[in-house]
Amino acid sequence: MRAKSLVILCFLLVNTLHAQSPSDTINYRQFFLDVDQLIGQGNLDSALALTQRALQQYEAKPTGEQDIYAGLFQAAGVIYHYYGMYPEAKEKYDQALQIRKNYLGLYHVDMITSYLNLGGLASEFSKFEAALDLLDTAQLIIDRQTEPIPSLQANIFNNQGNTYAGMGQFRLAEDYYSRSLVIKDTLPGLLPNTRANAYVNLGTIFEEYGDFGKARDYYLIAKDILEKAYGTHIDLIQVHQNLGNVWFFQEQYHLAMTEFRKAEKIIRENFPEHPFMGQIYSNIANVQAERTELDTALYYDLQALDIWQRTFGDQPTIYSIITRIGLGNHLRLKKDWEASLRVYGEALHALQTMEGASIYTLANCYNHMGRVYSEQGDLPAALAHFTQAANTLSYDTLDLTLPIPWQASQDLEDALVNLGIAYNQRYRLTKDSNDLKKSGEFLTDAMIVKNGLRVNFADLTSKINLVQRNDLWSEWAVDTYQKLYLLTNDRHYLEAAFQFAEVGKSTLLFEAVRHKKEIQFEGVPDSLLQSEYDLKARLNYFYEKLIYSGSDESLSEDRARWNQEIFNLKRSYEELKADFANFHPGYFDLMYNLETVSLKQLQQSLPRDQAMIEYQVGDSTIFVFLVTTDEVRLIPIKYDFPLESWIEQVRKHITGTMPYNMDNFREPAHLLYQKLIRPLADELPERLVIVPDKKLGYIPFEALLTAMPKDNYVERWPFLINDHEISYNYSLTLLDAMKTIVHQDPSRQILAMAPFSGKDTVYLQLPNQSADTGQVIHKFLPLLYSKEEIDMFESEPQNQTVYGKAATKKKFMQEAPKCRILHLATHAEANSVQGENSFLVFAYTDQPDEQMLLHVRDLYGLQLNADLVVLSACETGIGELRQGEGIISLARAFSYAGAKSLITSLWKIDDQHTQQLMAGFYAYLNAGVSKDSSLRRAKLDYLKTHSGREAFPANWSGFVAIGDTSSIK
């Protein structure tokens, strides 16, 4: 559970004068225009100096125009407010308000600006109820005016949105922000910073919803507006800060820190005493904690708290509370549990005494406190706090199958997961099966909540963040249900264990493949999609009302009305879903059918000579699901051995220096077999589909040794490939989906490309893949055997072979969607730090260097029609290991683009050996043999014709088959 980051909201501070009489002596009208312009430009020093001079002149020679006098105090208050000098700002606002009350009347138009700015200031102090009262008064006054005042109305809506956002009522906030932006878009001469702030505020709402892609888009629009208009501006502090938050939640910590440092630089150079620095320090602390720099994190936490104390005194604010929760998290990570609980307790007390406190922040605090107690081994206290977190969010009254506010969903999921884990831990002490059942119930409800979130996200990066959270606890769910299965022999529990193992694997890739199948959903009428959006928004709105009402007896009648609204909306929502199911089944399946494939379905689809093996690697247990036509077994393997070390040794020595690597490869290759395959060996048929988990995806199982070799005759070593034909997939649900993809008839059979078939060496200067900064020179040598490799395709007129300089990225992007088979014989490079930056290399052109590279991220938007993609290049099957999704590789990206099956590589392979393997593979494939069998036979043929070092697995086992491996028809 990551610390919450502080998101900055933009309050619109108003300095508009609506007096009717002209000034005869001093041109105060021009003064107000000049001050507004200076504030808009962020030139606060000049604005303050000009305002102080105007006040001195007025007091030296009063004109009797009290509206002018009040306006001067109002201007000073706005400037102090921007400076973060809140006591001085309030003093000036109060002076302006008092003059207006005494001389202009309670309903004078200028009173609106006083209440607007005092409302904004109250929200800064987290006095949300007082802020709403002040803004309601402003609305009352504007309603009594004879003519509409659009600019002030827009500002009222904006500040109401800010207040509700501070209270955590984000649907209401979004509604007010949207109303404000609609009005602003019609106003002539709107200052650029005012327009930019509207986009910032909408961005904060989407950030709170977890839709980081949309949030980033709004922030970038605001950034572009401000930089084009002003260069440097005070409001860029907010933009950089919020962009940093987006990158933080997407685990791009270097990018987050870059944005936070930009904000810090603007403050240091222009407003060194501004309270915004507290927000920046708090967020920098969170980044440092993620980098495990805990002492540095604690330093910034304390710096932030010092700023809040100097700014707000002992007044509890949402800023100081969130900083304290972050401090508590960082103390917990240092295992200073006593100090952590003390700090959490201070945050909890502040939340309980602060008016309009966010229910979500309160639940978040209970969750964190529960985790401390859990880590201390105090399960009763942990369960009490996790239960309090769930109850705070009205868990007992929510219908989890309906759309729930995003922030509520996130914190409720955390509470339910924590409860599920805690009851599992209690079972280990009590051996009471009821504790296991409670664990399963809570974890299942957590998955229902998560599935509801998945339905609402369209942005890929937001979904990535979502599924990564799931990977942290799916092991506990599998453990819970496998224990229940062993206790009861109830297949329902076995099925549940399998479902949780599946949802932790390649969820986003499965959705993408299903999208390729159901692309016809684009025909859904816009009116239905709008109805769907509106119903979800309305359900969120009333759920938020219910959650915030708690058990307040004075709201019992309101709760009854809200429940009736939810009941009516639920009926409409179910009717709409039924319409989707009946008339737009593709869209319904894509958006609402989130179930994984069942064990029974898998058994029915299996041939008798094939078994499926799925691994789930946890902290203490490796769970293995073995599926055959006759039975399903769940085999727990005690994780008491150095799995990752053995994997690293196999990879290191399989490609190391001869003969040293031959000697050091044997032992880990045999030990991995003993632990991962031997417990199942007696029940395995010849053909296997393996779903690896985590780092298991970096090794070829066919190269494991069933016994320790006694000599160096490598061709006679007992490799697993001698006994079994092996293919792979990212999940069994995904395999089932890939098998059922039906592609259109292609215009070409094969597109084969060999960009480096000539004799030229290409040098490129590219970003350093293993560091945050810097450039490195990449040297791409000729692949002379790649020409011979694709020559075999030339004889068929339906095929297209492209060599050397003609094999460009542009050519590939144009031709690839038209072909049944894609064969790329080229260079590639995996990126183990950021998987989306792994790339294939095409021919050099006169375009910028990056035009040669096809990155993983480039493939996500491609629509392929390929039954088979052969990536005859280095490292196309490896990359960044990402929680919840597996290895982010080029091969995976081609699956995302619609490929039914792939042949891909796990390391750098000599192009001569590659050419020999590929010739054998296609010979069998063209004879009607299945893809996995064709690859196995080509490898066995290679072993028969090579000996000694040439037969070592480095030369033949690096290529693996993924996906639907049936023969090409």
Side-chain angles (χ1 to χ4, degrees):
M1 189 187 305
R2 185 174 291 112
K4 289 182 179 291
S5 283
L6 288 164
V7 178
I8 300 181
L9 305 168
C10 294
F11 282 89
L12 287 181
L13 311 177
V14 186
N15 187 40
T16 306
L17 190 68
H18 286 272
Q20 304 300 313
S21 58
S23 171
D24 297 326
T25 56
I26 299 176
N27 190 354
Y28 288 109
R29 297 297 184 274
Q30 186 60 46
F31 157 79
F32 284 113
L33 291 174
D34 292 342
V35 166
D36 277 345
Q37 190 70 24
L38 289 168
I39 292 173
Q41 293 170 354
N43 191 348
L44 300 186
D45 288 345
S46 297
L48 183 59
L50 181 61
T51 302
Q52 289 172 337
R53 191 169 76 249
L55 268 169
Q56 291 170 357
Q57 290 175 344
Y58 188 94
E59 290 173 347
K61 186 179 179 182
T63 66
E65 297 169 294
Q66 299 300 325
D67 55 343
I68 297 289
Y69 194 33
L72 294 174
F73 282 114
Q74 184 79 20
V78 168
I79 296 164
Y80 284 126
H81 199 155
Y82 266 112
Y83 270 125
M85 300 169 67
Y86 298 137
E88 291 86 350
K90 187 173 188 309
E91 179 187 352
K92 299 303 179 186
Y93 287 157
D94 284 341
Q95 287 176 294
L97 178 64
Q98 195 58 50
I99 293 170
R100 287 166 174 165
K101 278 184 178 179
N102 292 340
Y103 294 98
L104 303 179
L106 295 178
Y107 297 105
H108 192 277
V109 65
D110 286 356
M111 295 289 285
I112 299 171
T113 60
S114 284
Y115 288 118
L116 260 171
N117 289 344
L118 282 167
L121 193 61
S123 284
E124 296 276 12
F125 279 83
S126 299
K127 295 182 177 181
F128 299 120
E129 296 298 337
L132 289 175
D133 287 344
L134 289 162
L135 294 171
D136 285 345
T137 303
Q139 184 64 55
L140 177 67
I141 296 171
I142 205 170
D143 288 342
R144 292 175 66 99
Q145 304 304 308
T146 56
E147 298 290 335
I149 311 173
S151 59
L152 290 179
Q153 183 64 75
N155 293 340
I156 292 174
F157 286 153
N158 184 87
N159 285 8
Q160 285 173 317
N162 284 334
T163 304
Y164 282 116
M167 297 170 70
Q169 299 189 43
F170 302 113
R171 291 291 173 186
L172 273 173
E174 181 187 4
D175 180 55
Y176 280 111
Y177 287 149
S178 298
R179 290 194 216 175
S180 176
L181 187 58
V182 166
I183 296 173
K184 288 174 185 175
D185 281 341
T186 67
L187 296 177
L190 192 68
L191 289 173
N193 68 306
T194 303
R195 186 177 300 279
N197 288 347
Y199 286 108
V200 169
N201 286 340
L202 278 171
T204 64
I205 294 302
F206 285 107
E207 186 175 332
E208 292 293 348
Y209 291 164
D211 199 338
F212 301 115
K214 284 185 180 179
R216 185 175 63 248
D217 289 344
Y218 279 116
Y219 295 151
L220 289 174
I221 291 171
K223 179 173 176 284
D224 184 62
I225 291 171
L226 291 169
E227 288 181 340
K228 284 182 177 178
Y230 308 113
T232 298
H233 191 276
I234 185 173
D235 289 340
L236 279 169
I237 299 170
Q238 304 163 342
V239 175
H240 288 305
Q241 175 88 319
N242 292 357
L243 278 170
N245 291 337
V246 168
W247 290 125
F248 175 79
F249 282 112
Q250 293 176 17
E251 301 187 1
Q252 301 294 315
Y253 302 124
H254 171 69
L255 294 173
M257 187 65 85
T258 298
E259 295 295 338
F260 293 148
R261 292 300 187 193
K262 287 178 181 177
E264 181 187 26
K265 183 173 184 289
I266 295 173
I267 291 180
R268 286 195 183 282
E269 292 178 352
N270 300 279
F271 319 102
E273 299 299 320
H274 202 288
F276 278 175
M277 191 66 87
Q279 297 174 314
I280 293 169
Y281 283 159
S282 185
N283 288 341
I284 287 175
N286 291 335
V287 174
Q288 298 291 9
E290 293 295 335
R291 292 174 163 178
T292 68
E293 299 287 342
L294 294 177
D295 289 335
T296 306
L298 293 174
Y299 167 80
Y300 279 106
D301 285 326
L302 294 174
Q303 291 293 309
L305 285 174
D306 181 63
I307 290 172
W308 302 139
Q309 178 65 34
R310 285 188 277 115
T311 304
F312 300 112
D314 294 329
Q315 168 70 38
T317 67
I318 196 64
Y319 306 118
S320 59
I321 289 169
I322 290 179
T323 299
R324 286 188 189 281
I325 292 174
L327 174 61
N329 294 345
H330 305 152
L331 289 166
R332 178 177 63 80
L333 291 172
K334 286 180 69 73
K335 299 190 183 303
D336 191 345
W337 290 312
E338 183 179 349
S340 177
L341 284 174
R342 184 185 69 252
V343 172
Y344 286 143
E346 292 168 354
L348 185 63
H349 176 73
L351 281 165
Q352 291 169 336
T353 57
M354 186 177 75
E355 64 177 43
S358 168
I359 293 294
Y360 308 133
T361 306
L362 184 61
N364 188 261
C365 192
Y366 282 126
N367 270 324
H368 284 301
M369 294 181 77
R371 291 191 70 186
V372 175
Y373 286 117
S374 178
E375 290 171 11
Q376 287 182 307
D378 188 347
L379 282 178
L383 284 166
H385 281 80
F386 295 147
T387 301
Q388 188 65 50
N391 290 342
T392 298
L393 298 168
S394 304
Y395 168 59
D396 54 342
T397 61
L398 292 178
D399 184 343
L400 302 181
T401 64
L402 293 178
I404 300 171
W406 184 86
Q407 189 64 58
S409 297
Q410 184 184 42
D411 291 321
L412 181 57
E413 180 199 335
D414 284 338
L416 297 176
V417 167
N418 289 331
L419 282 166
I421 292 173
Y423 274 108
N424 181 298
Q425 291 171 326
R426 194 166 85 166
Y427 167 78
R428 299 180 185 192
L429 300 174
T430 66
K431 301 304 178 185
D432 183 349
S433 62
N434 287 321
D435 285 335
L436 276 182
K437 291 177 181 177
K438 287 181 180 178
S439 172
E441 289 168 2
F442 284 122
L443 292 171
T444 298
D445 278 352
M447 184 51 62
I448 293 171
V449 172
K450 179 176 288 296
N451 283 340
L453 287 170
R454 281 171 55 196
V455 166
N456 289 323
F457 284 159
D459 175 64
L460 176 62
T461 53
S462 302
K463 288 190 176 187
I464 287 173
N465 180 264
L466 185 67
V467 298
Q468 285 174 334
R469 288 160 53 88
N470 177 72
D471 189 59
L472 302 176
W473 54 269
S474 59
E475 178 205 352
W476 287 96
V478 175
D479 181 72
T480 290
Y481 281 115
Q482 71 94 16
K483 283 185 169 71
L484 284 168
Y485 175 63
L486 293 176
L487 285 172
T488 64
N489 202 33
D490 185 340
R491 186 177 169 113
H492 164 75
Y493 293 128
L494 177 63
E495 188 77 51
F498 175 72
Q499 300 296 321
F500 273 97
E502 278 286 284
V503 296
K505 289 182 170 63
S506 300
T507 305
L508 303 184
L509 181 53
F510 168 57
E511 289 188 6
V513 170
R514 197 170 53 171
H515 175 74
K516 307 297 179 183
K517 291 171 57 183
E518 308 296 355
I519 198 68
Q520 65 267 27
F521 86 80
E522 293 173 356
V524 178
D526 289 343
S527 59
L528 281 182
L529 296 175
Q530 186 62 47
S531 295
E532 179 188 37
Y533 176 86
D534 291 343
L535 281 169
K536 288 178 181 178
R538 294 279 292 165
L539 281 163
N540 271 265
Y541 172 81
F542 285 110
Y543 266 136
E544 211 164 59
K545 287 280 193 183
L546 277 178
I547 290 170
Y548 267 86
S549 71
S551 56
D552 188 340
E553 290 298 327
S554 66
L555 297 175
S556 58
E557 291 185 8
D558 289 325
R559 276 197 298 276
R561 178 168 53 82
W562 297 333
N563 276 313
Q564 184 60 47
E565 289 280 0
I566 289 172
F567 176 79
N568 295 335
L569 289 167
K570 180 179 179 180
R571 289 178 57 187
S572 299
Y573 188 58
E574 293 301 326
E575 289 171 1
L576 181 64
K577 285 168 62 177
D579 285 343
F580 284 138
N582 292 328
F583 303 110
H584 306 282
Y587 180 78
F588 178 83
D589 189 50
L590 181 66
M591 296 301 293
Y592 295 102
N593 183 11
L594 301 177
E595 294 181 1
T596 57
V597 66
S598 71
L599 291 169
K600 185 176 181 180
Q601 288 172 301
L602 289 174
Q603 286 183 282
Q604 291 173 343
S605 66
L606 269 175
R608 294 200 66 82
D609 66 340
Q610 190 173 54
M612 296 177 172
I613 303 171
E614 177 163 312
Y615 292 91
Q616 172 88 0
V617 179
D619 290 333
S620 59
T621 307
I622 298 175
F623 298 103
V624 186
F625 291 89
L626 173 61
V627 183
T628 66
T629 54
D630 297 325
E631 67 171 342
V632 178
R633 289 189 59 201
L634 175 53
I635 303 150
I637 298 173
K638 190 174 181 181
Y639 190 0
D640 58 356
F641 55 93
L643 175 66
E644 291 193 7
S645 175
W646 292 351
I647 291 171
E648 289 169 7
Q649 289 178 53
V650 165
R651 285 190 56 81
K652 175 182 177 182
H653 298 305
I654 210 168
T655 57
T657 304
M658 294 287 189
Y660 169 78
N661 60 336
M662 293 174 64
D663 297 329
N664 290 278
F665 166 80
R666 288 182 253 212
E667 183 178 10
H670 178 57
L671 290 171
L672 285 170
Y673 169 81
Q674 287 288 96
K675 288 293 186 180
L676 301 175
I677 297 294
R678 184 66 193 91
L680 331 170
D682 294 340
E683 302 172 58
L684 297 180
E686 182 177 7
R687 300 179 62 210
L688 305 177
V689 176
I690 293 178
V691 177
D693 190 33
K694 299 187 172 115
K695 290 195 174 181
L696 290 177
Y698 289 123
I699 59 169
F701 279 67
E702 49 263 67
L704 300 184
L705 293 166
T706 61
M708 278 294 288
K710 304 297 184 183
D711 53 43
N712 285 339
Y713 295 104
V714 181
E715 67 276 12
R716 298 195 307 217
W717 283 7
F719 295 113
L720 191 60
I721 194 173
N722 293 313
D723 302 323
H724 295 287
E725 180 178 293
I726 302 173
S727 65
Y728 301 84
N729 214 299
Y730 305 104
S731 80
L732 294 179
T733 299
L734 179 61
L735 175 59
D736 183 69
M738 293 172 84
K739 285 181 176 180
T740 55
I741 294 175
V742 178
H743 284 138
Q744 300 173 355
D745 289 335
S747 57
R748 289 191 180 276
Q749 181 69 7
I750 298 175
L751 171 65
M753 303 184 77
F756 294 89
S757 59
K759 297 181 179 180
D760 294 333
T761 297
V762 175
Y763 297 88
L764 290 180
Q765 182 171 298
L766 300 172
N768 190 346
Q769 301 277 40
S770 59
D772 291 333
T773 59
Q775 301 277 317
V776 293
I777 299 296
H778 287 243
K779 180 180 180 180
F780 299 111
L781 296 169
L783 299 172
L784 299 181
Y785 285 91
S786 65
K787 180 180 185 305
E788 186 177 346
E789 183 177 327
I790 72 169
D791 279 346
M792 59 182 165
F793 304 118
E794 276 199 308
S795 59
E796 294 295 330
Q798 279 191 304
N799 299 342
Q800 183 179 16
T801 52
V802 189
Y803 300 89
K805 294 181 179 180
T808 62
K809 175 182 174 181
K810 181 178 180 181
K811 181 73 170 177
F812 170 79
M813 298 296 277
Q814 289 173 341
E815 299 298 326
K818 307 172 187 176
C819 302
R820 184 182 298 280
I821 297 175
L822 303 175
H823 185 103
L824 301 176
T826 185
H827 287 289
E829 183 171 304
N831 188 328
S832 61
V833 177
Q834 185 64 30
E836 277 81 6
N837 290 337
S838 300
F839 59 79
L840 285 164
V841 188
F842 287 86
Y844 177 78
T845 69
D846 293 334
Q847 299 298 317
D849 289 344
E850 60 266 27
Q851 295 300 315
M852 292 179 63
L853 306 182
L854 180 72
H855 289 91
V856 163
R857 59 179 178 268
D858 298 327
L859 290 161
Y860 288 152
L862 199 60
Q863 296 284 350
L864 291 180
N865 199 33
D867 290 341
L868 172 64
V869 174
V870 178
L871 299 176
S872 181
C874 301
E875 301 180 331
T876 53
I878 61 173
E880 175 197 3
L881 180 60
R882 184 173 288 165
Q883 288 180 335
E885 273 299 292
I887 296 170
I888 308 302
S889 65
L890 285 157
R892 183 185 178 281
F894 274 97
S895 296
Y896 199 101
K900 291 188 67 171
S901 63
L902 299 107
I903 305 296
T904 187
S905 61
L906 300 177
W907 51 74
K908 298 180 186 295
I909 302 175
D910 175 79
D911 72 318
Q912 182 179 5
H913 296 130
T914 297
Q915 184 273 324
Q916 294 170 4
L917 283 171
M918 291 302 161
F921 169 72
Y922 279 103
Y924 286 113
L925 192 69
N926 291 334
V929 178
S930 65
K931 304 177 192 103
D932 53 348
S933 184
S934 294
L935 186 59
R936 181 198 186 196
R937 293 185 192 188
K939 292 176 178 179
L940 290 175
D941 288 347
Y942 180 93
L943 281 170
K944 290 175 184 176
T945 56
H946 294 76
S947 60
R949 298 178 183 180
E950 291 292 302
F952 197 63
N955 298 322
W956 57 265
S957 68
F959 284 104
V960 295
I962 296 173
D964 175 15
T965 58
S966 59
S967 60
I968 296 289
K969 298 179 175 61

